Amino acid sequence: MRYSSLHPHGDAGLSIFMKIRLNGEDYEIPGELTLEELLESLSINPGRVAVEVNLQVIKRSQFGTFRIKEGDIVEIVNFVGGGQDGER
């Protein structure tokens, strides 16, 4: 099981972790994070990815408000630049 790089903080030292599936692997994250918080914890630039949650593509403008919930299936796809060097 993988853990995000966020450190849990809670009342009286108690923290609640929840399980999600991220790019085909099980993860535990502290509480219901927004997509923006999840990406930040994974050191991912939100401007360079597309994110799908439970087969629904989430608009970049919603990353700061869309909350990941227990059991969600999250897919993060990085944009890669480049192409063919003139070969066709």
Side-chain angles (χ1 to χ4, degrees):
M1 183 125 348
R2 288 190 161 185
Y3 296 86
S4 76
S5 61
L6 286 181
H7 298 287
H9 301 285
D11 295 339
L14 299 176
S15 297
I16 298 173
F17 280 83
M18 61 181 202
K19 296 177 184 178
I20 65 169
R21 189 114 176 119
L22 175 60
N23 288 353
E25 296 187 37
D26 292 326
Y27 273 73
E28 286 188 346
I29 61 173
E32 288 187 0
L33 301 178
T34 65
L35 276 178
E36 185 174 80
E37 291 167 333
L38 177 64
L39 294 172
E40 181 179 307
S41 75
L42 297 168
S43 300
I44 295 175
N45 178 348
R48 307 258 324 152
V49 296
V51 180
E52 178 183 278
V53 178
N54 302 325
L55 303 177
Q56 174 188 357
V57 175
I58 308 303
K59 293 181 180 180
R60 191 171 295 121
S61 63
Q62 296 176 310
F63 285 6
T65 57
F66 189 95
R67 294 212 169 267
I68 303 297
K69 296 180 177 43
E70 176 81 30
D72 277 351
I73 300 171
V74 181
E75 295 290 330
I76 300 172
V77 180
N78 287 300
F79 296 123
V80 179
Q84 297 179 357
D85 293 330
E87 294 180 33
R88 294 184 187 227

